[in-house]
Amino acid sequence: MLERERHRLILKFVEERAVASVADLVELLGASEATVRRDINALALRHEVRRVRGGAEALRPRPQTQLAGAPFALRRGKAPSEKRVIARMAASLVEPGSSVILNNGTTTLQMVDFLQDKDLDILTNSFPIAAGLMSQGRHRVTLPGGRVFREQGIILSPFENDVVSNFWAGQLFTGCYGLNPFGLIEADPLIAQSEVKLFERAERIIVLADSSKLGQRASMIVAPLAKIDLLITDEGATEEDLTRLRKAGLEVVIANTKSERDASLVA
């Protein structure tokens, strides 16, 4: 990540939380502690943050409710080829003219490129996905009402009776924070709550999870494996992880990353 981008993210993170520790910023940026300390020093010299023991303090804090997990822009850069091949396979399951839900996520975002000619009814809680869908094809796109969380690009509603409760889909495609024998998990309770509501509005739940997500643990269980109809993952999944999931009754499909590389070479 470029220094300018790190500085932008640090400023936003610190302003929204008032104070951020070096450890928080290391986790956010995936950078070393030494790099983060240099960045804080540089921002402090420009009078953009106040350096404090163990971290940085905002000069003009704007505290907001924050969602757990890395910002969308950072997650988008992780395992891009695996996410793309998973998305291609997921899109191949969608029938033209059907009704689907695309849950917010960097892998579901990749599906947009493969849905162009299918003329779908789509509900999504993701601004990036909605923008991609509106720029191509003839899809009918529905967004739920609610608050926008900029860093995650997601819309979350605190209300029980919103547009989601009036939408029905044959298939729901979702990424996740993690997937293990306990089920699909999320790190943030607000995201988990919104996904529980979405999952009630589709006949089939299809999870798109690159191999790094398998075995991950967090505190919020969104859905047990029995509620999930299909998992699409990549060839990096270990036999141990796959065996545990299959023994729990989950159908698993492995997307072939080689076929995606070959397709990109032809293109």
Side-chain angles (χ1 to χ4, degrees):
M1 188 186 301
L2 296 175
E3 180 183 89
R4 182 168 55 184
E5 179 65 9
R6 291 200 311 273
H7 288 185
R8 185 189 73 79
L9 288 170
I10 289 171
L11 275 174
K12 190 168 186 63
F13 192 86
V14 171
E15 285 177 355
E16 291 176 347
R17 289 161 176 77
V19 178
S21 70
V22 170
D24 288 338
L25 295 172
V26 165
E27 182 178 357
L28 171 73
L29 302 171
S32 69
E33 183 176 321
T35 296
V36 168
R37 290 187 183 279
R38 283 197 301 271
D39 288 339
I40 290 173
N41 287 339
L43 291 168
L45 287 172
R46 298 203 301 262
H47 304 290
E48 295 182 82
V49 301
R50 184 180 296 108
R51 190 174 56 190
V52 295
R53 183 178 179 85
E57 182 179 39
L59 301 180
R60 297 175 296 279
R62 303 179 299 177
Q64 298 182 28
T65 302
Q66 296 302 311
L67 301 177
F72 191 89
L74 290 183
R75 291 187 286 115
R76 193 171 179 176
K78 294 182 179 179
S81 59
E82 289 84 355
K83 290 175 179 177
R84 191 157 182 84
V85 72
I86 289 168
R88 182 191 289 272
M89 178 168 284
S92 72
L93 303 177
V94 179
E95 293 293 328
S98 61
S99 176
V100 301
I101 296 172
L102 298 182
N103 191 22
N104 180 66
T106 54
T107 310
T108 45
L109 174 62
Q110 292 284 340
M111 289 181 66
V112 172
D113 290 341
F114 306 114
L115 297 174
Q116 291 184 39
D117 303 320
K118 300 204 174 189
D119 296 345
L120 305 168
D121 280 303
I122 300 175
L123 170 68
T124 183
N125 55 6
S126 164
F127 264 16
I129 290 175
L133 292 168
M134 295 300 290
S135 69
Q136 54 184 260
R138 298 170 55 227
H139 307 299
R140 293 161 294 279
V141 180
T142 300
L143 287 167
R147 181 176 176 184
V148 177
F149 291 82
R150 293 182 183 87
E151 288 297 305
Q152 280 77 15
I154 192 173
I155 308 162
L156 298 178
S157 171
F159 305 109
E160 196 62 37
N161 185 25
D162 58 20
V163 71
V164 172
S165 63
N166 296 297
F167 196 91
W168 172 89
Q171 296 168 304
L172 178 146
F173 295 89
T174 182
C176 60
Y177 181 86
L179 190 74
N180 61 42
F182 294 101
L184 185 148
I185 57 172
E186 289 292 347
D188 189 277
L190 290 178
I191 292 177
Q193 182 184 37
S194 75
E195 290 180 353
V196 167
K197 188 162 64 174
L198 282 177
F199 284 19
E200 296 301 322
R201 309 311 305 164
E203 286 189 11
R204 279 173 56 81
I205 308 298
I206 300 168
V207 176
L208 318 182
D210 68 78
S211 53
S212 69
K213 304 287 185 68
L214 306 186
Q216 282 272 35
R217 295 183 180 275
S219 58
M220 298 287 139
I221 299 176
V222 177
L225 293 186
K227 191 172 179 63
I228 298 169
D229 296 284
L230 179 67
L231 164 67
I232 305 176
T233 188
D234 62 79
E235 296 161 312
T238 67
E239 196 56 43
E240 181 182 3
D241 283 333
L242 294 176
T243 298
R244 280 202 299 259
L245 293 171
R246 284 172 172 148
K247 279 186 175 179
L250 182 60
E251 181 182 354
V252 181
V253 172
I254 308 296
N256 188 334
T257 52
K258 182 179 183 300
S259 65
E260 178 64 27
R261 288 194 297 269
D262 292 345
S264 64
L265 289 172
V266 170

